[in-house]
Amino acid sequence: MGEILYGKGVVPGIGIARAKVLSGDLSSHLAAYKAGSPAEEAAMLTAAVEEAAAEILRLKETALSAGEQAQADIMDAHYAMVNDPGLSASMFGRVAQAVSAPQAALAAAEEYAALFDAMPDPYLRERAADVRDIGRRLVRLLLGTGKTEYGQEPVIVCAQEIEPSTAAGMPADRVRGILLGQGSTTSHTVIIAKARGIPAVTGLGDALEHIAAGMLVVVDGGTGQVLLDPDPALLAEYQAKAEAEEERKRQDSAMAALTAVTADGRKVQLAANVGSPADMPAALAQGAEGVGLFRSEFLFMGRDVPPTEEEQFAAYKEVAEQCGGQLCVIRTMDIGGDKPLHYLNISKEENPFLGWRAIRISLERPDLFMPQLKAILRAGVYGKVAIMLPMVISAAEIRSARQWVQKAAGELAQEGKRFAAAVPLGIMVETPAAAVIARDLASECDFFSIGTNDLVQYTLAVDRGNQAVGALYSHFHPAVLRLIAGVAKAGHDQGIWVGMCGEMAGDPLAAPLLTAMGFDELSMSAPSIPRVKEVIRKIRLEESRELLDKALALTDAGDVRALMQEFNSPV
Ligand code: PEP
Ligand code: MG
């Protein structure tokens, strides 16, 4: 009674319900399976592959009709995997050697998954779970074992690892929390949980075995704490927190119509970060004033060839139109790092985050860059758009990009296509190099948007995806704060607007500091907008400037955070 487990909170929120433990153990069914002749097993396997592909397509359709684009993309990837010729040859090869169809599917999927497990890139490593998922789906179909049943009562789902398709099939109204032994913030299951707002904690490891089916569990996705069979007083405390959260969500919707203006009248534009047109309804519902970061690389993922100029144009046009006169900042593709593209054939890199990525690829691959620039310029006819370059480290990169933009405009003119002639060109300031020479870069471009996700990792030499050094990763580190303050000043001194689109922009604790630094725009994931707006509406510029002076004089990230917590506590 009363045990507390500590994991990593990856989707904030409080969930209270009884545990549903997913074991994923197929061994007893496998042991009871009576295999037929190799020809019969091959026929069973063929039917199972077809049925699995059909199931995956149905899941994709369900995701699309629920507006869950990220999940639909995952199902697209599964569809490609289940039809993968290599996987197929490996499964049918085993069946020909008298291995039963389910055993062959499991072994072949495991062999593939092991290849992903061994990859240095954390994003690719996460794909091992997807391949195992395909194997289990095939085995379930072959053995006739059913899907996970959730019943009518709310549950907290617990498992070492949850296959993305299992996550996709979870009823959002009944699954109140997800607890994982494994999994990082980039795992697909976590992406799905985030999209659905299901509180989630990962990294619980073997401690997960302390949870028995039916046990009352409280999940705190903000702190990573998991309470097992809490005593009545603690339970009541968390129930009150959960109710307060519900109340907050109601207030958030009311906040959407208000502007982000300080108590003494300084306006800050709060925009949304989006990855596709499907993200726009949520952004507008939270009161986003335009888009501060359209991560265009998502249009390039989950497919075998790059999107054409027309396909990109359609997506950019839709988002630009939905911005309704507000600016839509389209970042040119930020491929590489943790977002590889198999069809680009990027050779294996020891340090992909320091490698061939983002603007470096674009400038060397006009076949990719030109269609993208042309699509953006054309979208500019239908709304206010801007082009933003990722991972810039030099003025020369901006100048070259500008030449490509001019060339794109020239080609469009020759082709007789309509396009916007004066599209602003800005950069992400997300490398220490760009931050240090911000003054020089400001005279080459029209705006800055600080990407703290990368700026923090490069400044502190702390991998943004590595849980082992996660405690060192903080946007409140004085080195980061001082760089950011310098960039804002450099931009303003040169007369350009300065925004921020990294996660720091959506941190309510950071909002007073960023307002005091004079940020013109903060762009964040849509659910963060109301909370940041609420803080901005309560502060006065003078007091936030005093706070900034204090913060800039501190030497420890923890002290800055504590200062901000103290300041924000009554909010
Ligand atoms: C950033 O680095 O802060 C950023 C917004 O870009 P991404 O997270 O896509 O690298
Ligand atoms: Mg970045």
Side-chain angles (χ1 to χ4, degrees):
M1 179 111 171
E3 189 180 359
I4 300 182
L5 309 180
Y6 298 89
K8 182 175 167 58
V10 287
V11 184
I14 307 286
I16 306 175
R18 303 228 163 245
K20 172 157 191 71
V21 180
L22 306 186
S23 71
D25 181 16
L26 293 165
S27 49
S28 55
H29 297 282
L30 272 172
Y33 182 78
K34 296 266 175 291
S37 67
E40 285 165 342
E41 292 297 290
M44 297 263 297
L45 190 54
T46 304
V49 169
E50 279 169 14
E51 178 52 25
E55 263 187 19
I56 291 167
L57 285 184
R58 283 197 293 274
L59 278 170
K60 179 186 163 183
E61 288 311 314
T62 311
L64 281 178
S65 46
E68 295 174 338
Q69 186 61 41
Q71 200 174 307
D73 292 345
I74 293 167
M75 289 304 123
D76 264 342
H78 279 213
Y79 186 74
M81 278 184 201
V82 80
N83 291 308
D84 183 88
L87 182 65
S88 175
S90 174
M91 291 191 296
F92 284 95
R94 283 178 161 85
V95 166
Q97 288 170 6
V99 176
S100 76
Q103 294 284 11
L106 263 191
E110 186 50 43
E111 186 181 78
Y112 252 56
L115 293 177
F116 281 108
D117 276 337
M119 291 186 179
D121 184 319
Y123 180 84
L124 287 178
R125 268 204 308 276
E126 297 287 352
R127 304 292 75 80
D130 297 81
V131 184
R132 291 195 174 98
D133 190 1
I134 302 284
R136 285 169 187 273
R137 182 182 293 282
L138 289 170
V139 173
R140 270 199 306 270
L141 289 166
L142 286 160
L143 298 176
T145 52
K147 287 200 241 141
T148 311
E149 293 300 336
Y150 289 93
Q152 292 311 308
E153 294 302 314
V155 287
I156 303 287
V157 176
C158 318
Q160 274 305 327
E161 198 174 0
I162 294 181
E163 294 153 356
S165 66
T166 304
M170 283 179 187
D173 57 333
R174 273 161 285 153
V175 175
R176 297 288 159 83
I178 297 178
L179 301 179
L180 297 174
Q182 321 287 323
S184 73
T185 44
T186 53
S187 81
H188 276 145
T189 295
V190 173
I191 292 172
I192 291 168
K194 255 190 204 147
R196 294 181 170 188
I198 303 174
V201 173
T202 65
L204 289 161
D206 293 342
L208 210 60
E209 283 163 22
H210 299 205
I211 306 176
M215 199 178 238
L216 186 63
V217 178
V218 175
V219 179
D220 186 337
T223 64
Q225 288 189 16
V226 180
L227 282 55
L228 309 185
D229 272 343
D231 61 48
L234 200 53
L235 180 60
E237 194 184 305
Y238 274 88
Q239 276 167 335
K241 276 190 192 174
E243 273 160 32
E245 230 173 47
E246 282 307 310
E247 176 53 29
R248 198 171 255 290
K249 279 188 196 153
R250 282 191 286 275
Q251 287 172 7
D252 283 356
S253 338
M255 189 63 79
L258 304 175
T259 47
V261 56
T262 63
D264 46 1
R266 168 93 173 44
K267 165 98 176 65
V268 184
Q269 185 175 350
L270 299 191
N273 292 351
V274 302
S276 79
D279 295 336
M280 284 308 289
L284 297 174
Q286 299 289 8
E289 299 164 296
V291 164
L293 169 62
F294 184 157
R295 286 186 164 97
S296 70
E297 60 276 7
F298 285 117
L299 303 178
F300 289 69
M301 297 163 95
R303 42 190 299 149
D304 294 322
V305 288
T308 60
E309 178 190 316
E310 284 312 314
E311 284 174 282
Q312 292 186 64
F313 166 59
Y316 304 150
K317 171 175 180 271
E318 194 176 337
V319 174
E321 278 175 340
Q322 292 202 41
C323 283
Q326 302 272 14
L327 187 61
C328 171
V329 179
I330 303 171
R331 174 172 77 180
T332 58
M333 59 164 218
D334 185 8
I335 291 302
D338 62 340
K339 291 173 280 195
L341 272 190
H342 69 90
Y343 55 82
L344 284 195
N345 293 324
I346 302 177
S347 48
K348 189 184 165 311
E349 297 180 303
E350 284 304 323
N351 291 300
F353 271 112
L354 306 180
W356 198 52
R357 61 173 289 202
I359 187 70
R360 300 168 188 180
I361 299 182
S362 293
L363 291 179
E364 284 180 32
R365 291 284 305 264
D367 57 316
L368 296 170
F369 201 29
M370 283 292 278
Q372 175 157 48
L373 294 174
K374 287 164 84 173
I376 299 174
L377 295 180
R378 287 173 63 195
V381 173
Y382 301 88
K384 264 171 80 176
V385 301
I387 299 170
M388 179 158 73
L389 309 172
M391 282 293 293
V392 166
I393 60 165
S394 72
E397 287 165 335
I398 307 174
R399 282 186 223 120
S400 304
R402 202 179 279 286
Q403 281 171 0
W404 284 114
V405 174
Q406 280 156 3
K407 192 164 161 45
E411 281 189 15
L412 287 171
Q414 267 185 353
E415 291 161 15
K417 290 178 182 160
R418 291 175 65 217
F419 65 97
V423 169
L425 177 70
I427 63 164
M428 294 205 53
V429 179
E430 55 181 343
T431 63
V436 171
I437 60 166
R439 198 161 293 275
D440 307 305
L441 301 184
S443 53
E444 298 286 344
C445 64
D446 302 311
F447 63 91
F448 283 161
S449 182
I450 300 185
T452 50
N453 305 343
D454 277 314
L455 186 61
V456 172
Q457 82 162 343
Y458 295 131
T459 304
L460 305 183
V462 173
D463 182 342
R464 66 192 259 189
N466 183 347
Q467 282 193 33
V469 288
L472 296 174
Y473 184 98
S474 170
H475 47 239
F476 288 123
H477 190 290
V480 176
L481 279 188
R482 292 175 204 178
L483 275 181
I484 289 171
V487 172
K489 178 158 182 355
H492 287 148
D493 284 352
Q494 300 288 323
I496 64 171
W497 67 262
V498 182
M500 176 179 281
C501 59
E503 288 301 302
M504 186 181 193
D507 179 357
L509 284 183
L513 299 179
L514 301 177
T515 308
M517 288 179 198
F519 275 84
D520 303 284
E521 175 245 40
L522 299 174
S523 189
M524 61 201 78
S525 65
S528 301
I529 293 176
R531 218 62 36 82
V532 171
K533 190 182 285 182
E534 190 181 356
V535 172
I536 290 175
R537 289 176 61 84
K538 284 188 177 162
I539 55 179
R540 303 188 69 80
L541 262 189
E542 201 179 320
E543 65 177 340
S544 69
R545 283 186 184 133
E546 279 168 20
L547 199 62
L548 177 62
D549 286 342
K550 275 193 206 161
L552 287 174
L554 293 171
T555 52
D556 183 83
D559 291 342
V560 177
R561 174 172 286 279
L563 175 75
M564 298 316 298
Q565 265 161 345
E566 194 188 323
F567 178 78
N568 270 24
S569 53
V571 172

